């Protein structure tokens, strides 16, 4: 075993946690939950009554913010933060990198007489000014045009970020250019939530609901991730540069024993999870579930779902916290969709629904066939997903996600809807005439008298579906583990706004304001929608080749790779859609297309460059050394015996080394290509030429790995990284 690998294993064996122990018995979760959040209770206690009411009208009813209250809010926020040890405040925003950005400013202001006072004004709360030219803009900002603005988002609460040496007041903000275009993930999300709220209220008004409050989208993302020992991470340059292993032979054991999923959580991992949860509880993130995932060293954390804007901010916080806390326990958190070949990758299932004062609008009740309002909203989803399946595929497109979509571990790139037996039956009845019954859920007994009867769902679940109804919400399962959920939510909200707009318009025409005509109009419209859009409904095995063949017959798009998926962002249909509902302008859409296409090229270039470096400086020298040892052994044997010695391993290795050298040259040639400024051509080249060259290089390297002596192979192996914990 090489020195680096041996040192890594030794470090793991001698590891002692430096994580802080938290006694939940002495400090119950209820006492720490939201302790670092400028919450509703804190605002009610610290703000003047009139200011509090005005702010709540914006937060809960979507009314425009009153700039006149900013100074009072800023003063209360500052005093609360300083009491918690804060010295600085930060406008936190979410640029098109997909990461979280922060600009920190001190509360202290010099007085001119050698002293300083703590100040924080309403103006500073409302607006910040980071450098817009240093973030991806897709041509919205030139390099020399630096001005950009962050704008306080009052609908997402401020919070305190702890550090051993102090704390920082963090203020969620939107980020836009000097010319007003959105340069972030939050602004389009808020616009899309406003759009779906407007159209949903039109539909609800037809059902006689006048005071429904704000209709909000809700989201709950299930975050999957890998944990490996930090020593292994540092010994793998590919993980550091690309976030995934670019080489690695299959270990003797993978996930075929199916013994990892929901298994006992290793002690060090559980200690880590407990601290992650503690940190998230303090920030008001409602994490609820933790468990082992399918692949070895793979895990999941999931919050309950909440307002989509807050859920998006919280999801960024979850990813940051998972990464930050892992270091304290001597581990590295891998958020890449496919860090290890041959085993399940990581996704981020996003549970999505709509709700208001009336409750969850996607709650079917006990008799969904008789729940006209639910059927209308569910039909709107069916229509939206069928009409805009290409857009839903585009917003989950990334080089990392390409590795898992359609790989018999995640949904295929074909976007379809799973309704379950009960709803599928109801909509079949509607198409034929009228729904008169719903399949009952009933109870389940397992043949043991001492065990209780279990309430049974009316339909099974389908893990192969990219968009599945799961009782009172839809689960978008195609989202990648490293991705922000903002993009998928923007798409879902916008296509739903369009579908509800269509339904409201048709029903308004059909009823003319006469409530008595509504049942007949709804029945006719539902028949039309299900007849026209039923092609998107599929309850079978999405992994099967039969479904791929059937989907093609149905005319469903199958955009297998990121380049072709991203192209739909700038189709006239989709540009018109986002412009119509004020979510993204054509300039903003085209900027995102350029950013994501360029990011694809950069990702693949980084991977290919890393693969070449590892191949030339680590793997090839190790192969040469073993080749030399074999030649030396053969020579010595021949001198002792006087006869030529047949060495199959030497012959095999020599052939592989020659092949490996050739593949290195091929990848170098591929990387030397330049697209002459044509972004599409560059993307096509990386997809068609560079990626296959990388795959070929890996294939040969993995063959070399299994015949090299253990003491010569330079990289931590899959066996070590996945099973030594």
């Amino acid at each position: 075993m090489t020195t680096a690998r041996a040192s890594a294993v030794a470090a793991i064996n001698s590891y002692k946690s430096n994580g802080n122990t938290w006694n939940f018995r002495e400090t119950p979760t209820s006492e720490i939950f939201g302790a670092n959040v400028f919450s509703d209770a804190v605002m009610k206690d610290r703000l003047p009554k009139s200011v509090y009411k005005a702010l709540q009208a914006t937060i809960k009813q979507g009314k425009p913010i009153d700039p006149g209250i900013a100074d009072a809010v800023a003063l209360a926020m500052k005093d609360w933060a300083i009491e918690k040890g804060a010295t600085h405040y930060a406008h936190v925003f979410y640029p098109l990198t997909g990461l979280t950005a922060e600009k920190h400013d001190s509360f202290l202001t010099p007085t001119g007489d050698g002293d300083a006072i703590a100040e924080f004004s309403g103006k500073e709360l409302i607006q910040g000014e980071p450098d817009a030219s240093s973030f991806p803009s897709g041509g919205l900002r030139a390099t020399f045009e630096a001005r950009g603005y962050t704008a306080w988002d009052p609908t997402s609460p401020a919070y305190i970020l702890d550090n051993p040496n102090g704390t920082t007041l963090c203020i969620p903000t939107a980020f836009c250019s000097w010319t007003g275009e959105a340069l972030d993930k939050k602004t389009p999300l808020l616009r899309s939530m406003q759009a779906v709220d407007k159209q949903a209220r039109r539909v609800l008004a037809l059902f006689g609901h006048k005071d429904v409050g704000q209709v909000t989208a809700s989201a709950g993302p299930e975050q999957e991730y890998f944990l490996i020992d930090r020593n292994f991470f540092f010994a793998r340059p590919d993980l550091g540069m690309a976030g995934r292993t670019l080489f690695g032979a299959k270990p003797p054991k993978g996930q075929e024993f199916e013994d990892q999923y929901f298994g006992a959580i290793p002690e060090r991992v559980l200690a880590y999870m407990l601290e992650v949860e503690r940190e998230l509880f303090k920030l008001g993130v409602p994490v609820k579930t933790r468990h082992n995932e399918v692949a070895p060293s793979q895990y999941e954390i999931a919050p309950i779902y909440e307002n989509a804007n807050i859920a998006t901010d919280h999801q960024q916080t979850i990813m940051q916290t998972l990464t930050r806390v892992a270091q304290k326990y001597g581990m590295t958190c891998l958020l890449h969709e496919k860090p290890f070949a041959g085993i399940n990758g990581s996704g981020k299932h996003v549970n999505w629904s709509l709700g208001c004062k009336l409750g969850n609008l996607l709650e079917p009740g006990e008799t969904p066939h008789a729940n006209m309002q639910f059927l209308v909203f569910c039909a709107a989803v069916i229509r939206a997903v069928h009409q805009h399946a290409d857009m839903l595929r585009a917003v989950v497109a990334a080089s990392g996600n390409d590795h898992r979509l359609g790989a018999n571990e995640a949904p295929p790139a074909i976007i379809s809807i799973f309704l379950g037996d009960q709803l599928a039956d109801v909509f079949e009845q509607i198409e034929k005439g009228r729904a008169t019954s719903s399949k009952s859920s009933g109870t389940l007994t397992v043949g043991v008298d001492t065990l209780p009867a279990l309430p049974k769902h009316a339909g099974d679940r389908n893990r192969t579906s990219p968009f599945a109804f799961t009782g009172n919400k839809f689960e978008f399962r195609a989202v990648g583990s490293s991705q922000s959920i903002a993009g998928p939510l923007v798409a879902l909200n916008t296509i739903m706004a369009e579908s509800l707009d269509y339904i409201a318009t048709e029903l308004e025409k059909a009823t003319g304001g006469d409530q008595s005509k509504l049942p007949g109009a709804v029945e006719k419209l539902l028949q039309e929608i299900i007849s026209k859009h039923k092609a998107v409904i599929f309850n079978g095995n999405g992994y099967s080749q039969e479904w791929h063949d059937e989907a093609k017959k149905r005319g469903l798009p199958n955009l297998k790779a990121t380049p072709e998926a991203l192209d739909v962002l700038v189709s006239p249909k989709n540009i018109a859609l986002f412009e119509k509902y004020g979510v993204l302008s054509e300039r903003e859409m085209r900027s995102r297309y350029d950013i994501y296409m360029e990011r694809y090229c950069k990702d693949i270039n980084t991977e290919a460059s890393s693969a070449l470096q590892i191949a030339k400086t680590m793997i090839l020298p190790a192969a040469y050394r073993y080749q030399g040892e074999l030649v030396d052994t053969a020579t010595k044997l021949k001198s002792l015996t006087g006869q030529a010695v047949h060495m199959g391993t030497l012959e095999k290795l020599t052939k592989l080394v020659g092949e490996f050298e050739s593949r290195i040259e091929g990848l170098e040639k591929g990387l030397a290509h330049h697209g002459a400024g044509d972004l599409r051509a560059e993307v096509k080249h990386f997809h068609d030429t560079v990626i296959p060259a990388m795959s070929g290089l890996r294939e040969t390297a993995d063959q070399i790995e299994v015949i090299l002596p253990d003491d010569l192979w330079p990289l931590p192996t899959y066996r070590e990284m996945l099973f030594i914990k």
Side-chain angles (χ1 to χ4, degrees), residues 8 63 99 119 159 235 289 348 412 684:
K63 293 187 177 180
L99 303 174
E119 289 186 331
Y159 57 92
T289 301
K348 183 153 41 197
K684 180 175 172 54

Side-chain angles (χ1 to χ4, degrees), residues 44-83:
K44 192 172 185 179
D45 181 57
R46 291 177 173 266
L47 293 174
K49 193 172 183 179
S50 60
V51 174
Y52 172 76
K53 285 185 175 179
L55 186 56
Q56 289 301 302
T58 296
I59 296 171
K60 294 182 177 178
Q61 301 171 36
K63 293 187 177 180
I65 185 70
D66 179 3
I69 67 172
D71 281 329
V73 175
L75 178 62
M77 203 179 279
K78 179 205 71 174
D79 290 345
W80 171 77
I82 289 175
E83 289 173 18

Side-chain angles (χ1 to χ4, degrees), residues 220-224 293 300 347-351 404 409-411 461 463 475-480 485:
E222 305 167 15
Q223 177 72 60
E224 295 173 348
E293 258 297 336
E300 180 178 298
K348 183 153 41 197
H349 303 174
V350 179
N351 297 278
R404 60 179 282 273
E409 63 180 67
R461 294 183 66 189
R463 68 182 302 271
E475 184 180 38
F476 191 15
R477 302 182 70 251
V479 185
I485 64 172

Side-chain angles (χ1 to χ4, degrees), residues 19 57 92 115 120 171 185 198 201 227 232 260 264 272 276 297 318 323 339 349 380 554 589-590 608 657 686 692:
V92 178
D115 206 352
F120 184 50
I171 304 160
K185 302 272 188 180
K198 179 181 178 181
R201 287 203 223 189
L227 285 175
F232 289 143
Q260 165 75 6
Y272 158 79
V276 166
S297 292
I318 288 173
T323 303
H349 303 174
R554 296 188 186 189
M589 288 286 284
R590 293 191 179 280
V657 168
F686 274 106

Side-chain angles (χ1 to χ4, degrees), residues 7-321:
S7 299
V9 173
I12 296 164
N13 289 332
S14 61
Y15 172 79
K16 292 182 181 179
S17 172
N18 65 348
N20 298 322
T21 303
W22 188 271
N23 192 326
F24 284 93
R25 294 179 181 175
E26 294 180 2
T27 310
T29 303
S30 57
E31 290 186 21
I32 65 170
F33 189 83
N36 282 5
V37 181
F38 194 67
S39 61
D40 180 73
V42 175
M43 288 188 280
K44 192 172 185 179
D45 181 57
R46 291 177 173 266
L47 293 174
K49 193 172 183 179
S50 60
V51 174
Y52 172 76
K53 285 185 175 179
L55 186 56
Q56 289 301 302
T58 296
I59 296 171
K60 294 182 177 178
Q61 301 171 36
K63 293 187 177 180
I65 185 70
D66 179 3
I69 67 172
D71 281 329
V73 175
L75 178 62
M77 203 179 279
K78 179 205 71 174
D79 290 345
W80 171 77
I82 289 175
E83 289 173 18
K84 289 187 168 291
T87 58
H88 289 67
Y89 67 92
H91 275 200
V92 178
F93 55 103
Y94 310 97
L96 295 171
T97 58
L99 303 174
T100 302
E102 305 168 359
K103 182 189 178 189
H104 293 222
D105 288 290
S106 175
F107 286 124
L108 287 182
T109 302
T111 59
D113 56 1
D115 206 352
I117 58 172
E119 289 186 331
F120 184 50
S121 68
K123 182 181 177 182
E124 291 168 315
L125 168 64
I126 287 177
Q127 183 177 326
E129 189 178 341
D131 185 346
S133 65
S134 299
F135 294 97
S137 72
L140 292 177
R141 296 264 79 191
T143 318
F144 62 89
E145 295 174 325
R147 197 176 300 279
Y149 299 117
T150 51
W152 170 42
D153 175 16
T155 64
S156 187
Y159 57 92
I160 294 289
L161 190 64
D162 285 331
N163 182 278
N165 291 332
T167 67
T168 304
L169 171 65
C170 295
I171 304 160
T173 62
F175 178 42
C176 64
S177 77
W178 181 73
T179 49
E181 290 97 352
L183 295 176
D184 66 340
K185 302 272 188 180
K186 179 182 280 287
T187 303
L189 176 59
L190 292 172
R191 293 172 180 169
S192 73
M193 293 180 70
Q194 187 171 283
V196 78
D197 168 48
K198 179 181 178 181
Q199 302 305 328
R201 287 203 223 189
R202 286 178 62 199
V203 173
L204 292 173
L206 288 162
F207 283 88
H209 304 299
K210 304 300 181 185
D211 183 23
V212 299
Q214 196 173 17
V215 178
T216 60
S218 296
E222 305 167 15
Q223 177 72 60
E224 295 173 348
Y225 61 97
F226 281 83
L227 285 175
I228 66 167
D229 191 274
R230 200 159 173 77
N231 296 284
F232 289 143
F233 176 79
F234 289 132
R236 293 281 316 210
D238 46 2
L239 283 176
M241 291 293 100
R244 72 181 183 98
T245 54
L246 302 171
F247 304 99
K250 183 180 178 182
K253 174 186 174 184
Q255 63 187 52
E256 64 272 16
F257 285 87
E258 300 178 328
D259 55 351
Q260 165 75 6
Y261 195 46
F262 278 34
I265 302 171
E267 186 175 349
R268 178 161 57 140
V269 174
L270 183 56
Y272 158 79
M273 288 178 170
L274 287 167
E275 182 154 351
V276 166
E277 290 169 0
R278 183 199 73 182
E279 294 300 312
L280 293 173
F281 287 154
K282 285 162 46 179
L283 297 173
V285 182
V287 290
K288 187 172 180 65
T289 301
R290 60 171 182 249
H291 62 81
N292 285 0
E293 258 297 336
V294 172
S297 292
Q298 186 186 33
Y299 309 94
E300 180 178 298
I301 183 172
I304 59 174
Y305 64 107
E306 50 188 338
N307 175 288
N309 178 41
I310 296 173
T312 301
D313 290 357
H314 280 170
Q315 172 56 207
Q316 296 294 120
T317 301
I318 288 173
M319 290 193 291
Q320 282 186 306
T321 305

Side-chain angles (χ1 to χ4, degrees), residues 229 322 411 417 429 445 492 684 706:
D229 191 274
L322 286 170
I417 291 178
Q429 292 180 57
T445 57
L492 281 171
K684 180 175 172 54
V706 298

